Amino acid sequence: MFGRWKTQCLNKLDLSRKGSVDGDIQHVVSLLNGREQFFTTSSCAGRVVLIERAPEERDIQKQNCVWLFVSHQKCDPDDLVSALAGSGGSAVLRFEPLVLHVQCRRLDDAQLLHAVAVNSGFRNSGLTFSKTGKIITAVRSTHGMEVPLSCQGKLLVEHEYIHFLAQVANQKMEENLKRIGRFYQNLQSALSAGKLQKLQVPDSQDPPPGLETKTGLKPEYRYTMDKMKTSVYKRRRRRERDHQTDCSGNDSSFLPESRECLAPV
């Protein structure tokens, strides 16, 4: 069943706006699709978008709005200003970080991928299970941004502030690309470790043939995940300690974080 799902998904037409996988995550997508236990169902490397809704609409829905500006790279503030000039509705500037949906063959495969994602900085990642038995790992981050810029065609902010927002969005794009790089390296290491020497787990830790472990994971995967969870815990404790002594923190952005839109891309 999983093999048929994978073949159908990888052979179907790409219906996204761009029509192809973003270059900044092509290597990640290729790595996952090249393994028998994974395949990607949707992806976006991250983007800066300026979206306009109609004056009578209260909520922004991507299928019922006008895309004024889209960039999968750093944006030019002058391009944002030019795009806003022709807006007659309510425009919102967004930065949307990486979102990657991966169908996994087994639960332990999904848990391993989730551990790699969280350890790489994508802390909004999670797992979903369908009634048909599909297991999906969603790789997502929390450092998105959403700022309203106009209402019914009237600009709410000065051009100077738009330039400032562009700078913040570009900083978030840089951080997003760093996290993608970490994710790719950690994923390579985790997959290689699980395939080769079981990460030097002693034979005494292996369960008898046919006997499930308490966690439901293979010993090599359990070892990998425990190691990653420990790393995440140490970093979280270090951030909390630093925050208590230095209120400025290490975040280079100046706006509160918001969750990115989780609609398919």
Side-chain angles (χ1 to χ4, degrees):
M1 179 67 73
F2 181 85
R4 184 169 75 250
W5 285 336
K6 181 171 183 176
T7 300
Q8 292 174 348
C9 182
L10 297 184
N11 289 338
K12 70 180 182 181
L13 183 66
D14 190 335
L15 299 178
S16 65
R17 291 177 60 88
K18 189 171 183 289
S20 62
V21 176
D22 296 335
D24 288 327
I25 56 170
Q26 181 64 60
H27 58 310
V28 177
V29 172
S30 296
L31 176 61
L32 288 167
N33 289 336
R35 308 290 296 211
E36 61 88 18
Q37 68 267 46
F38 303 114
F39 67 90
T40 59
T41 61
S42 66
S43 65
C44 178
R47 60 191 178 186
V48 180
V49 296
L50 187 62
I51 298 178
E52 176 193 79
R53 70 170 184 262
E56 65 275 7
E57 295 289 338
R58 293 184 177 182
D59 298 322
I60 291 184
Q61 300 294 332
K62 291 184 178 180
Q63 63 271 25
N64 297 322
C65 64
V66 178
W67 295 68
L68 301 175
F69 176 85
V70 182
S71 175
H72 292 267
Q73 306 294 329
K74 292 183 178 181
C75 64
D76 186 330
D78 291 332
D79 291 338
L80 296 178
V81 173
S82 298
L84 279 169
S87 172
S90 299
V92 173
L93 176 66
R94 288 179 174 175
F95 170 73
E96 300 175 347
L98 167 80
V99 58
L100 180 67
H101 294 95
V102 184
Q103 187 166 334
C104 308
R105 180 181 291 273
R106 297 172 293 269
L107 176 59
D108 55 355
D109 298 325
Q111 290 174 316
L112 176 66
L113 184 58
H114 177 263
V116 171
V118 172
N119 189 56
S120 303
F122 297 101
R123 300 181 184 90
N124 197 32
S125 300
L127 308 180
T128 59
F129 305 86
S130 72
K131 294 181 180 180
T132 58
K134 295 180 179 179
I135 306 172
I136 303 292
T137 298
V139 180
R140 301 173 300 211
S141 185
T142 59
H143 71 298
M145 181 180 75
E146 181 172 326
V147 183
L149 297 181
S150 67
C151 180
Q152 297 182 353
K154 181 180 179 180
L155 194 62
L156 302 175
V157 299
E158 300 292 337
H159 287 180
E160 181 180 359
Y161 188 64
I162 297 175
H163 281 247
F164 168 75
L165 291 178
Q167 179 183 2
V168 174
N170 289 338
Q171 290 173 350
K172 288 179 176 290
M173 180 67 79
E174 288 182 359
E175 174 60 26
N176 182 64
L177 293 176
K178 290 178 182 179
R179 295 185 188 189
I180 291 174
R182 288 199 299 268
F183 177 66
Y184 180 71
Q185 293 177 355
N186 291 340
L187 182 60
Q188 279 187 315
S189 299
L191 294 177
S192 298
K195 180 179 180 181
L196 297 178
Q197 298 178 354
K198 295 189 177 182
L199 293 177
Q200 299 180 352
V201 177
D203 293 339
S204 59
Q205 294 187 20
D206 291 346
L211 182 64
E212 293 286 341
T213 63
K214 291 183 179 180
T215 61
L217 293 175
K218 297 177 182 179
E220 62 269 27
Y221 286 176
R222 185 174 68 251
Y223 180 88
T224 302
M225 289 183 64
D226 289 344
K227 184 176 180 181
M228 290 181 172
K229 289 178 181 178
T230 300
S231 176
V232 171
Y233 175 77
K234 287 181 178 179
R235 288 208 306 272
R236 184 180 299 118
R237 293 291 297 173
R238 185 165 59 249
R239 288 198 305 271
E240 292 175 353
R241 184 173 63 250
D242 293 342
H243 180 71
Q244 293 174 358
T245 57
D246 181 8
C247 294
S248 64
N250 295 323
D251 193 355
S252 60
S253 66
F254 299 92
L255 296 177
E257 294 184 346
S258 62
R259 292 189 179 183
E260 69 275 12
C261 178
L262 302 183
V265 292

